[in-house]
């Protein structure tokens, strides 16, 4: 059996709604760890996972993409007896291959007061014993390279924290905060936007608009790969709606005032996203828009988009530099896919000189002229829906 000790993230601080978050956390762990999980115990802001022997790496990889966990450690447990604690600790150090000269400290917590030794006495006893075992080690209480954690509860839990080692995705358990519809293009920003709202506890479905035959198979494959990469962060699964936007796009192209084509297109996409929102019982649309990144994202353009958008639009990238967005895309492993060149309808149909200061009335007029309500309904009703990861046929 492999034991993992998890520390719950910031939802622990929520007084009234904490049970709700805990329930969601437990459900998410059960689902994403299904092949490996044997037992799950939630107690005092800690989560104890007992997993199938030999699956430490697989479980760690999933936990690293599970929001709601402040940090987690692979641990060993021992009975409440000093000699047993020592031999378990020795086995743990040997498995972890920690024996080089290093600065360490022992950190004991003793919520279980029935254990006869005080925390301080136990840490001194274990520290001295470790120095005998590893004479090249040094005690360093302030900047240790290795912290030996000992938690005395109904059993004793032992684990190691190596200096600068970071794990745990942070955030809130996905699903605890409601659902959203992510507008997923093939670019760098929108997958990051999805990740950020996942991190705040939203569960997502994604929508992609394509314009065949103007956009090709490669563009679709890219988005499928992105959906595949986003699924683990979305608590293991992500449904992608693919919408044929060609008819609407061609109609937009016939409008006068070509400089407004992008923004009109964006608002029509949002109208379709709203229909998905209603069907999926979601409450917001999420985009990868970032202030002043391109013409359709100037403050004036965002103001118009917002005024004419049919639902709450969340833009978690709005205040971020491109470089910051790229760094997140690299961590979440979508960057390499996002930069594969493939024509996207936004770039393909972008006007030569897009408006940077559109007026609400002008854009609203154009949308009225389009009279696209039927086309919107039709595009939505013909959506292709696939859930990722896809099982191999
Ligand atoms: P990204 O890197 O996410 O493509 P971007 O900076 O290229 O964003 P735009 O092309 O102006 O910006 O698109 C802004 C946002 O509109 C995107 O982040 C995405 O949320 C949404 N969007 C644009 N095109 C599509 C599309 N074809 N399908 C779904 N959503 C789209
Ligand atoms: Mg784009």
């Amino acid at each position: 059996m492999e034991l993992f000790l998890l520390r719950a993230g910031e939802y622990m601080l929520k007084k009234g709604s904490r049970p709700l978050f805990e329930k969601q956390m437990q459900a998410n762990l059960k689902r994403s760890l299904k092949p490996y999980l044997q037992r799950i115990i939630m107690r005092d802001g800690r989560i104890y996972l007992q997993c199938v022997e030999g699956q430490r790496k697989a479980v760690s990889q999933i936990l690293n993409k599970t929001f709601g966990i402040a940090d987690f450690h692979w641990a060993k447990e021992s009975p409440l007896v000093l000699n047993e604690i020592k031999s378990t600790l020795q086995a743990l150090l040997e498995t972890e291959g920690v024996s080089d000269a290093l600065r360490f400290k022992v950190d004991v917590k003793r919520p279980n007061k029935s254990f006869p030794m005080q925390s301080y006495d136990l840490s001194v006893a274990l520290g001295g014993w470790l120095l005998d075992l590893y004479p090249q080690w040094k005690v360093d209480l302030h900047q240790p390279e290795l912290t030996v954690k000992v938690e005395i509860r109904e059993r004793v839990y032992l684990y190691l924290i190596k200096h600068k080692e970071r794990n745990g995705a942070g955030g809130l358990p996905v699903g605890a905060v409601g659902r959203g519809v992510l507008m997923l293009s093939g670019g760098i920003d929108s997958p990051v936007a999805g990740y950020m709202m996942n991190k705040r506890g939203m569960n997502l479905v994604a929508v992609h608009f394509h314009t065949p035959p103007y956009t090709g198979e490669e563009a679709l494959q890219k988005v499928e790969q992105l959906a595949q990469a986003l699924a683990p962060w979305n608590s293991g699964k992500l449904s992608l709606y693919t919408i044929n936007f060609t008819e609407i796009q061609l109609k937009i192209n016939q409008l006068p005032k070509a400089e407004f084509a992008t923004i009109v297109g964006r608002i029509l996409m949002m109208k379709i996203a709203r229909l998905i929102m209603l069907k999926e019982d979601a409450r917001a649309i999420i985009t990868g828009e970032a202030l002043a990144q391109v013409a359709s994202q100037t403050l004036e353009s965002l103001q118009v988009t917002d005024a004419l958008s049919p639902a709450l639009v969340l833009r978690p990238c709005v205040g971020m530099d491109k470089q910051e967005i790229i760094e997140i895309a690299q961590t979440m492993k979508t960057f390499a896919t996002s930069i594969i060149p493939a024509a996207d309808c936004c770039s393909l149909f972008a006007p030569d000189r897009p408006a940077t200061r559109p007026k609400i009335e002008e854009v609203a007029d154009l949308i009225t002229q389009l009279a696209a309500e039927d086309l919107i309904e039709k595009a939505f009703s013909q959506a292709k829906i696939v859930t990722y990861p896809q099982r191999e046929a």
Side-chain angles (χ1 to χ4, degrees):
M1 185 263 288
E2 310 281 358
L3 175 69
F4 290 85
L5 240 73
L6 283 52
R7 221 155 42 88
E10 91 178 51
Y11 69 81
M12 280 311 294
L13 306 173
K14 302 192 183 297
K15 264 206 188 122
S17 50
R18 186 170 133 189
L20 219 111
F21 282 90
E22 281 182 327
K23 211 171 141 206
Q24 188 72 50
M25 187 78 249
Q26 185 162 9
N28 291 358
L29 288 167
K30 279 187 181 162
R31 186 173 50 244
S32 56
L33 292 173
K34 195 161 187 191
Y36 310 115
L37 190 62
Q38 291 171 326
R39 192 152 176 239
I40 178 167
I41 302 161
M42 319 264 294
R43 196 188 296 131
D44 313 323
R46 297 293 168 122
I47 303 164
Y48 300 79
L49 299 180
Q50 295 178 357
C51 297
V52 177
E53 181 77 30
Q55 298 295 340
R56 178 179 172 186
K57 199 169 162 203
V59 172
S60 301
Q61 276 171 355
I62 294 170
L63 291 178
N64 262 321
K65 293 186 175 182
T66 303
F67 288 122
I69 300 170
D71 55 41
F72 67 90
H73 298 281
W74 182 70
K76 289 218 172 272
E77 59 179 337
S78 106
L80 295 149
V81 179
L82 184 58
N83 275 337
E84 301 260 10
I85 297 175
K86 285 180 180 170
S87 56
T88 308
L89 180 54
Q90 188 167 3
L92 177 65
L93 289 163
E94 279 163 13
T95 325
E96 294 287 65
V98 205
S99 60
D100 289 348
L102 50 66
R103 293 172 284 119
F104 80 104
K105 79 169 176 185
V106 179
D107 182 8
V108 177
K109 287 213 167 53
R110 191 181 64 123
N112 180 352
K113 302 293 180 214
S114 74
F115 187 74
M117 289 172 88
Q118 303 259 337
S119 306
Y120 176 77
D121 298 334
L122 180 60
S123 59
V124 171
L126 289 176
W129 173 77
L130 283 169
L131 285 172
D132 287 342
L133 207 60
Y134 301 107
Q136 71 279 30
W137 284 17
K138 284 198 172 55
V139 174
D140 184 340
L141 299 181
H142 303 292
Q143 287 187 311
E145 293 162 290
L146 178 77
T147 304
V148 175
K149 290 277 203 179
V150 183
E151 297 187 9
I152 314 281
R153 297 175 187 270
E154 71 306 327
R155 304 265 291 163
V156 180
Y157 298 97
L158 298 152
Y159 57 95
L160 307 176
I161 298 180
K162 293 174 198 160
H163 179 58
K164 283 189 179 158
E165 182 186 59
R166 281 196 62 111
N167 62 19
L172 298 169
V174 164
V177 169
R179 288 162 74 72
V181 176
L182 170 66
M183 291 180 50
L184 185 62
S185 69
I188 300 170
D189 308 329
S190 44
V192 172
Y195 164 94
M196 289 181 68
M197 297 324 294
N198 274 156
K199 189 167 186 169
R200 291 314 295 163
M202 278 187 107
N203 184 252
L204 304 178
V205 297
V207 55
H208 177 71
F209 300 90
H210 69 143
T211 45
Y214 305 99
T215 55
E217 245 344 273
E218 335 74 81
L220 275 187
Q221 277 166 10
K222 240 180 104 169
V223 174
E224 285 165 14
Q225 274 182 40
L226 290 175
Q228 191 90 14
L230 283 170
W233 302 102
N234 195 47
S235 181
K237 263 192 198 164
L238 180 72
S239 294
L240 172 69
Y241 284 67
T242 304
I243 305 274
N244 186 324
F245 200 63
T246 311
E247 235 178 315
I248 297 176
Q249 185 68 59
L250 293 177
K251 243 186 136 184
I252 294 173
N253 290 357
Q254 286 163 8
L255 286 174
K257 302 193 184 165
E259 67 273 27
F260 296 133
T262 309
I263 199 162
V264 170
R266 179 79 26 84
I267 292 162
L268 290 216
M269 284 179 185
M270 285 174 176
K271 285 179 185 275
I272 297 173
R274 177 180 156 270
L275 297 178
I276 299 173
M277 211 181 81
L278 296 178
K279 179 180 158 202
E280 293 282 348
D281 194 24
R283 282 174 213 291
I285 295 171
I286 294 137
T287 76
E289 289 164 304
L291 185 60
Q293 213 189 66
V294 290
S296 58
Q297 297 169 23
T298 61
L299 202 52
E300 290 82 354
S301 302
L302 290 178
Q303 190 185 17
V304 174
T305 317
D306 220 49
L308 300 175
S309 71
L312 168 66
V313 179
L314 299 175
R315 303 177 168 89
C317 298
V318 76
M320 290 167 78
D321 286 352
K322 194 74 191 187
Q323 192 52 38
E324 290 174 305
I325 298 176
I326 288 174
E327 275 161 28
I328 297 179
Q330 282 165 335
T331 338
M332 56 183 288
K333 304 267 187 286
T334 52
F335 184 69
T337 307
S338 289
I339 59 173
I340 298 172
D344 173 71
C345 57
C346 285
S347 47
L348 211 60
F349 293 102
D352 294 338
R353 301 167 116 258
T356 52
R357 290 163 185 266
K359 295 267 176 316
I360 295 175
E361 301 71 33
E362 275 180 297
V363 178
D365 261 6
L366 291 171
I367 293 173
T368 314
Q369 272 186 51
L370 268 182
E373 295 311 316
D374 289 351
L375 288 182
I376 289 171
E377 282 288 343
K378 183 175 155 200
F380 166 69
S381 68
Q382 294 176 351
K384 188 180 138 221
I385 309 168
V386 178
T387 299
Y388 295 89
Q390 253 183 318
R391 301 269 161 262
E392 298 292 321

